C-alpha cells in the first residue's frame, strides 16, 4: 500500500507464484495422484513436477516478504529476531544459501527413494504428506538461489555450476533405478499390469533425463 502495486512484488512474480500453487494443486489431486499411486513411473512424474516445475515457479514469486507481512505483529517481531541471528545471517548469503539448498535437495531426493522410506511414505498418509512438503521446501530453497532478485541470487556461472551439480546427483538416482538388475521396491509400488522392472526402469529414465536436462537448462538461463 505504501509503495504501490508491483513495487515490492512485480506482476510477473505474483503470476509465477500463483501458477506454482496451481501446479502443486494439480500434482496432489486426481488424476495425477491416482497415477502416482498406481505405478512407480507415475510416482516419479509427480515428484518431478513438484521439484522442477512447481518449486521454481514458487521461488520466482519471491513471496517471502509478503507472507511475512501477513503475520500478526508479535509473530513478525519474533521472526525478525530469528532472522537476524548470526547463523541465519550467514545462511542468507547467496553462496551459503545455495550450498545449503543443493545439499538439502540432494539429500531429501535420495532419502525418500530409499526402499524403507519409500514404503513408509506409501503406507502412511501423514508421512506421504511430509514427503511432498519436504520436496516443496528444498525445491524452493534451491531455486531461490538462482531465481530471486539479483542482489540475493548467485551470479550466472555459479548458478550454472550449482544446478549442474544438483542435476547430476539427481540423475545418479535415475541411473541407479534404470540399471538395477531387479526391482528395488515391493510389488505394490509398481503398476499392476506391467513388469515391475520395466516400470522402475522407465521411472529411472525419466528422472535421469528430466532432472539433468532441466537443471542444466535452468543454470544456462
Amino acid at each position: 500500500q505504501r509503495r504501490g502495486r508491483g513495487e515490492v512484488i512485480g506482476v510477473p512474480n505474483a503470476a509465477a507464484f500463483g501458477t506454482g500453487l496451481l501446479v502443486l494443486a494439480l500434482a496432489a489431486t486426481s488424476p495425477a495422484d491416482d497415477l502416482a499411486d498406481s505405478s512407480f513411473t507415475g510416482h516419479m512424474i509427480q515428484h518431478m513436477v513438484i521439484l522442477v516445475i512447481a518449486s521454481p515457479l514458487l521461488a520466482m514469486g519471491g513471496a517471502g516478504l509478503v507472507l511475512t507481512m501477513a503475520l500478526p505483529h508479535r509473530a513478525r517481531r519474533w521472526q525478525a529476531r530469528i532472522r537476524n541471528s548470526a547463523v541465519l545471517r550467514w545462511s542468507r548469503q547467496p553462496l551459503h544459501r545455495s550450498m545449503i539448498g543443493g545439499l538439502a535437495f540432494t539429500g531429501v531426493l535420495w532419502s525418500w527413494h530409499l526402499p524403507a522410506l519409500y514404503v513408509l511414505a506409501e503406507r502412511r498418509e501423514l508421512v506421504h504428506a511430509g514427503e511432498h512438503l519436504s520436496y516443496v521446501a528444498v525445491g524452493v530453497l534451491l531455486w531461490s538461489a538462482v531465481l530471486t532478485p539479483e542482489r540475493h541470487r548467485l551470479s550466472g556461472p555459479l548458478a550454472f555450476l550449482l544446478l549442474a551439480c544438483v542435476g547430476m546427483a539427481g540423475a545418479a538416482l535415475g541411473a541407479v533405478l534404470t540399471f538395477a538388475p531387479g526391482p528395488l521396491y515391493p510389488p505394490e509400488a509398481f503398476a499392476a499390469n506391467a513388469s515391475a522392472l520395466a516400470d522402475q526402469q522407465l521411472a529411472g529414465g525419466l528422472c535421469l533425463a528430466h532432472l539433468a536436462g532441466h537443471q542444466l537448462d535452468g543454470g544456462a538461463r
Side-chain angles (χ1 to χ4, degrees), residues 125-147:
E125 191 62 35
L126 188 60
V127 177
H128 198 186
E131 176 190 24
H132 286 184
L133 182 61
S134 68
Y135 283 149
V136 174
V138 298
V140 171
L141 181 61
L142 172 71
W143 286 102
S144 66
V146 297
L147 294 175

Side-chain angles (χ1 to χ4, degrees), residues 194-214:
S195 162
L197 183 58
D199 192 11
Q200 179 178 285
Q201 288 173 336
L202 179 57
L206 288 172
C207 177
L208 196 160
H210 196 60
L211 259 181
H214 192 86

Side-chain angles (χ1 to χ4, degrees), residues 3-72:
R3 298 185 186 181
R5 180 177 297 176
E7 293 300 316
V8 177
I9 297 295
V11 173
N13 302 98
F17 189 78
T19 305
L21 292 178
L22 178 61
V23 171
L24 276 181
L26 292 174
T29 55
S30 297
D33 199 45
D34 293 339
L35 179 64
D37 289 338
S38 64
S39 73
F40 193 72
T41 301
H43 160 95
M44 188 62 72
I45 291 172
Q46 185 185 49
H47 290 179
M48 292 302 99
V49 167
I50 294 172
L51 288 168
V52 299
I53 298 178
S55 295
L57 288 168
L58 294 175
M60 195 181 301
L65 175 61
V66 178
L67 295 176
T68 299
M69 294 303 294
L71 295 171

